[in-house]
Amino acid sequence: MSCILVTGGAGFIGSAVCRLISSDDNHSVVVVDKLTYAGSTSSLEPVAGNANFTFIRDDIGNRPAMSNILQEHQPDVIMNLAAESHVDRSIDGPSEFINTNIVGTFSLLEASRDYFEQLPDDRKERFRFHHISTDEVFGQLPLEGGKFTEETAYAPSSPYSASKAASDHLVMAWHHTYGLPIVLSNCSNNYGPYHFPEKLIPLVILNAVHEKELPVYGTGANVRDWLYVDDHARALVEIALRGRTGQSYNVGGDAERTNLQVVEGICSILDRLKPRKGNKSYRDLITFVADRPGHDLRYAIDASKITGELGWRPLETFESGLEKTIDWYLENKSWWQPIRENNYRGQRLGSLEKV
Ligand code: NAD
Ligand code: DAU
């Protein structure tokens, strides 16, 4: 049995990783999560009672605590998903992004290095530090042509992506300098169940259900490359267990859509699954609002390295994944209602305009 320590396991992607790993009796899972506004233990309810699952509330930046946790649980793999993840919040207040994404990752690397160095040789062979990152570190692509590969130069635009780029560089430096066995992955936009409703897809689903405006930044022409979260979780486990140390892997769903296409797609599915009164379409709620400052135009991932080396490919198309996601939100009000009432009510974030 191998022990996998997942930081940020109460978040959107981390909880999907935990639900996947904990279903396998060959692994045990230890989550370390600070439970910020974005973390929710209810996302871990499906696995919380499993014998192979442990939850610890702590901060990756708390080095003594992290060292104790590593000594006590003796993980074979650390998957670092703990982060501040929302671009708009990084525009309003970058300091938590610097604290967690950069300083927190540095601190976790140091605790991991101490832990790694005292492992016996056979366990050193198996040990991996997997840092989970984003395609946003590469900056933006033009509307026509080109995809991000593992060789694309870093050119982050937002405080969020700059903080993630810094953490990627630290992780690579800890490998080159100290020999820490790391793997790194850079993924495109995820969507799916348990997604915090500040992000475009869940925000639009819940605003539509509440008959509120569906805010589209600028003209809606910006392009994102969408991946269903369970497909990402499978990719992450493959990379953590079988990726080559010192390597980075790009992960993406080959599903580029403009933001307007995404929002209109959600409206079409909702028109069918939950028709509005008076035969109106949810499209009538679409509202074009002020653009995000520094809004990257287009992201697109070339995932041929992970497909070729590890045989991973997505199982969902954007259409099948979007329908599953909308179904899930319609059926899981008990998950999102407390969040909409207490943590985030759907207000605009990251606009520098004074209102
Ligand atoms: P999320 O915001 O849903 O979850 C982040 C989790 O980290 C939360 O549970 C939060 O409580 C926890 N956390 C925050 N600060 C912490 C700290 N200092 N110590 C311990 N825990 C802390 O984020 P997500 O969307 O699940 O993203 C997870 C990771 O994947 C991030 O590193 C993000 O950069 C990366 N990523 C996300 C996407 C995406 O589309 N969501 C795509 C590519 C990469
Ligand atoms: O590319 C990977 C990244 O994807 C991850 O690293 C981030 O953690 C994740 O949050 C996501 O970043 P984005 O900024 O792309 O996601 P968001 O859902 O905030 O926005 C998606 C697109 O939709 C983006 O072009 C901005 C636009 N948008 C967003 C919101 C919240 C709108 O048009 N209206 C909105 O209300």
Side-chain angles (χ1 to χ4, degrees):
M1 192 187 232
S2 61
C3 173
I4 302 179
L5 186 140
V6 180
T7 75
F12 168 48
I13 302 170
S15 67
V17 168
C18 292
R19 292 190 299 274
L20 177 64
I21 310 175
S22 180
S23 64
D24 182 344
D25 290 339
N26 293 315
H27 301 306
S28 62
V29 189
V30 178
V31 167
V32 177
D33 197 294
K34 187 179 171 183
L35 295 181
T36 66
Y37 78 95
S40 170
T41 50
S42 61
S43 305
L44 290 166
E45 256 166 32
V47 295
N50 293 2
N52 66 354
F53 181 81
T54 306
F55 180 84
I56 300 165
R57 183 173 192 177
D58 222 312
D59 186 329
I60 58 164
N62 183 348
R63 186 160 164 202
M66 289 310 301
S67 288
N68 287 339
I69 291 166
L70 295 176
Q71 279 310 327
E72 185 183 342
H73 292 277
Q74 294 286 312
D76 302 292
V77 175
I78 297 171
M79 297 177 77
N80 183 31
L81 293 105
E84 290 295 330
S85 68
H86 193 41
V87 173
D88 289 334
R89 285 185 197 262
S90 82
I91 295 167
D92 288 335
S95 60
E96 271 314 296
F97 290 73
I98 307 305
N99 287 339
T100 285
N101 300 1
I102 306 179
V103 183
T105 300
F106 158 70
S107 181
L108 182 63
L109 281 166
E110 284 292 78
S112 304
R113 180 161 74 97
D114 287 346
Y115 167 72
F116 171 72
E117 279 171 0
Q118 49 81 57
L119 286 177
D121 285 348
D122 59 325
R123 296 214 36 223
K124 274 193 171 132
E125 287 284 314
R126 288 212 308 271
F127 181 80
R128 297 290 176 76
F129 183 103
H130 179 186
H131 183 63
I132 285 73
S133 190
T134 169
D135 61 355
E136 300 202 7
V137 298
F138 301 123
Q140 64 175 356
L141 292 164
L143 270 186
E144 261 104 51
K147 290 190 176 198
F148 298 133
T149 73
E150 288 77 7
E151 276 69 52
T152 303
Y154 278 34
S157 313
S158 70
Y160 162 71
S161 54
S163 71
K164 292 296 293 186
S167 67
D168 290 10
H169 290 314
L170 290 174
V171 168
M172 279 298 182
W174 260 240
H175 174 66
H176 289 299
T177 306
Y178 303 114
L180 189 71
I182 67 91
V183 277
L184 171 65
S185 55
N186 298 88
C187 187
S188 63
N189 284 65
N190 284 216
Y191 68 101
Y194 302 99
H195 203 183
F196 193 87
E198 63 194 348
K199 308 291 192 330
L200 177 69
I201 289 182
L203 177 74
V204 164
I205 297 169
L206 297 189
N207 274 12
V209 166
H210 291 100
E211 293 281 329
K212 295 205 157 115
E213 286 180 352
L214 311 180
V216 173
Y217 296 171
T219 62
N222 300 61
V223 173
R224 297 292 182 264
D225 185 353
W226 294 93
L227 180 66
Y228 191 66
V229 67
D230 291 347
D231 281 327
H232 188 197
R234 282 189 306 104
L236 291 178
V237 173
E238 286 297 319
I239 294 165
L241 300 180
R242 299 202 299 122
R244 284 185 290 140
T245 49
Q247 295 286 309
S248 72
Y249 293 85
N250 280 1
V251 187
D254 198 19
E256 290 183 55
R257 300 286 185 282
T258 68
N259 292 337
L260 189 56
Q261 284 172 329
V262 170
V263 176
E264 288 179 342
I266 295 169
C267 292
S268 300
I269 295 173
L270 278 174
D271 283 342
R272 184 160 44 76
L273 297 183
K274 191 178 167 36
R276 289 176 81 196
K277 289 200 186 96
N279 227 4
K280 291 183 290 185
S281 169
Y282 287 98
R283 286 175 193 230
D284 301 344
L285 297 171
I286 292 175
T287 308
F288 293 93
V289 298
D291 209 351
R292 170 184 282 174
H295 197 177
D296 283 337
L297 193 53
R298 173 175 166 255
Y299 305 139
I301 284 279
D302 175 347
S304 53
K305 181 172 173 182
I306 182 175
T307 302
E309 280 190 23
L310 302 177
W312 171 88
R313 50 177 48 78
L315 298 178
E316 299 292 340
T317 64
F318 184 63
E319 286 64 35
S320 67
L322 192 58
E323 178 129 0
K324 274 190 176 180
T325 304
I326 293 172
D327 266 338
W328 187 87
Y329 278 90
L330 293 179
E331 281 167 20
N332 287 278
K333 192 172 179 182
S334 61
W335 182 83
W336 53 258
Q337 193 170 34
I339 292 174
R340 280 282 285 209
E341 282 171 3
N342 304 319
N343 299 32
Y344 173 63
R345 292 166 187 270
Q347 71 276 18
R348 174 75 196 260
L349 301 169
S351 163
L352 293 176
E353 285 181 357
K354 298 269 179 291
V355 276

